[in-house]
Amino acid sequence: MEPASLENLRVLYHSDDFIVINKHWDIRIDSKMWYEKQTVQSQLRHRFPELADPGTYYGFRFCHQLDFSTSGALCVALNKAAAGRAYRCFKERLVTKAYLALVRGSVQSSRMTLDFSIGRSTAEGRTHMMCIAGSDGCENPKPCQTELVVLEYGSYSGDPVTKVLLQPLTGRTHQLRVHCSAIGHPIVGDFTYSLRTDSTPYRMMLHAYLLRLPLEPEPVEVIAPDPFLPKLDPLWAPQHKVQPLEGALEQLLQHPKDPVEGEEQGRSPQHAGTVEGKTAPRETEEQIAQCQQWLSEWGMD
């Protein structure tokens, strides 16, 4: 996609309750910095001024997050009840997400489960980074899994890369970036987790391709078009296709993985519930904090 501007917000889905946009790769969702005028919030206010809710801090309620340098499907709730329904889907682990990425090098296994616990780094100079358990200064690591499926081998600017489909089975900060780096295949353009060596590409090659929320009465399922095509970025040169994207996605969705054992901890009794006859997984501290923020800012009536 071209760089973000106020005018080029791309809407993939729009109902009375939700908007799903195709977020650009170079824009933050929101910002409290006075000089950062261009955000997804400001794009939405520009395109849909009548939908902004003056009762919220920013005007729009995001159901989840994408990093500044990640593009793709991003869901926005348009009212309090819709926000609450979406939150419950995320809390009960009913949401399906799949990402596309170009990673450095040639990934040898055509399919693998990346299983590395992730915590916050307290190492000097890396305070805004995550890290895998066992690395220096890794604080409070928690279980974390990602499914990786190889789609194509090729090159980017002449260097070997692999196009992959990623499904996060947990929801840790920077999970996909950390996991890819941990197996020696950092995402192309990921300046942070390449230890500041990968600075040439114009963007980080990570894209939220599929988002599925099983909401009632109308589920939300959206695909954000694949940006990693030679016609869109001629520096990417595919050479050998392992399997088509559509087939890989279908397999991934037909064989869902169970939640990671022990992944959710610290759930308070008032959040108890069941999902399809099973005990609902425990919420993480991150999820509880996010829920409290949501409910304080735009809690359900």
Side-chain angles (χ1 to χ4, degrees):
M1 295 187 292
E2 71 278 13
S5 69
L6 282 180
E7 290 75 23
N8 66 356
L9 179 72
R10 296 191 176 184
V11 177
L12 302 171
Y13 174 91
H14 189 186
S15 69
D16 291 340
D17 291 334
F18 297 97
I19 292 175
V20 181
I21 68 163
N22 191 0
K23 177 189 170 296
H24 283 76
W25 46 267
D26 62 341
I27 190 169
R28 299 187 196 284
I29 291 176
D30 49 49
S31 177
K32 294 183 179 180
M33 307 305 291
W34 64 269
Y35 54 81
E36 203 152 15
K37 304 295 185 184
Q38 187 163 280
T39 64
V40 177
Q41 291 278 11
S42 59
Q43 285 184 321
L44 287 165
R45 281 184 174 275
H46 181 79
R47 178 80 167 271
F48 302 107
E50 73 283 2
L51 298 181
D53 185 345
T56 67
Y57 187 91
Y58 289 110
F60 291 90
R61 309 172 178 91
F62 290 91
C63 300
H64 57 114
Q65 298 287 314
L66 291 179
D67 291 343
F68 167 80
S69 49
T70 301
S71 60
L74 179 65
C75 186
V76 184
L78 297 179
N79 55 68
K80 296 176 183 179
R85 284 164 40 222
Y87 169 73
R88 283 191 289 272
C89 278
F90 279 93
K91 182 186 74 172
E92 295 170 0
R93 302 181 57 80
L94 302 176
V95 177
T96 301
K97 295 187 284 186
Y99 292 72
L100 291 172
L102 299 181
V103 301
R104 293 288 180 189
S106 298
V107 179
Q108 295 305 306
S109 299
S110 61
R111 180 165 188 158
M112 64 178 79
T113 299
L114 310 183
D115 191 353
F116 300 93
S117 294
I118 291 179
R120 293 196 174 275
S121 177
T122 60
E124 186 176 355
R126 300 185 185 179
T127 54
H128 297 292
M129 293 177 61
M130 306 299 285
C131 53
I132 62 171
S135 57
D136 290 342
C138 191
E139 182 180 82
N140 194 26
K142 296 180 181 179
C144 193
Q145 286 188 350
T146 300
E147 282 290 297
L148 181 150
V149 179
V150 170
L151 301 174
E152 289 182 280
Y153 295 109
S155 64
Y156 193 85
S157 294
D159 297 321
V161 301
T162 306
K163 185 174 182 177
V164 297
L165 182 69
L166 301 168
Q167 182 189 19
L169 304 183
T170 47
R172 306 296 182 211
T173 302
H174 296 177
Q175 174 177 324
L176 303 181
R177 300 166 64 184
V178 174
H179 273 178
C180 288
S181 179
I183 61 170
H185 298 287
I187 295 172
V188 174
D190 189 345
F191 183 70
T192 300
Y193 291 101
S194 66
L195 300 181
R196 304 187 176 187
T197 61
D198 201 349
S199 57
T200 302
Y202 71 99
R203 62 162 290 181
M204 182 177 68
M205 306 300 174
L206 180 62
H207 178 74
Y209 179 68
L210 169 80
L211 179 66
R212 174 191 283 176
L213 284 77
L215 297 163
E216 296 293 343
E218 181 181 355
V220 174
E221 182 171 331
V222 178
I223 284 179
D226 180 2
F228 306 135
L229 303 173
K231 65 182 180 181
L232 300 177
D233 186 350
L235 294 178
W236 158 236
Q239 296 164 357
H240 172 62
K241 180 173 287 188
V242 176
Q243 58 181 309
L245 171 57
E246 294 77 12
L249 186 64
E250 183 177 353
Q251 289 181 24
L252 181 149
L253 296 177
Q254 284 180 347
H255 303 284
K257 294 283 185 175
D258 292 330
V260 179
E261 184 178 353
E263 189 258 332
E264 306 293 335
Q265 300 295 332
R267 190 175 181 216
S268 54
Q270 63 266 33
H271 294 295
T274 59
V275 182
E276 298 179 352
K278 298 180 180 180
T279 301
R282 296 180 179 274
E283 291 181 87
T284 63
E285 293 176 4
E286 271 185 314
Q287 288 174 317
I288 292 172
Q290 184 181 54
C291 177
Q292 290 172 341
Q293 177 186 339
W294 284 15
L295 295 179
S296 65
E297 187 168 303
W298 18 270
M300 295 174 286
D301 289 327

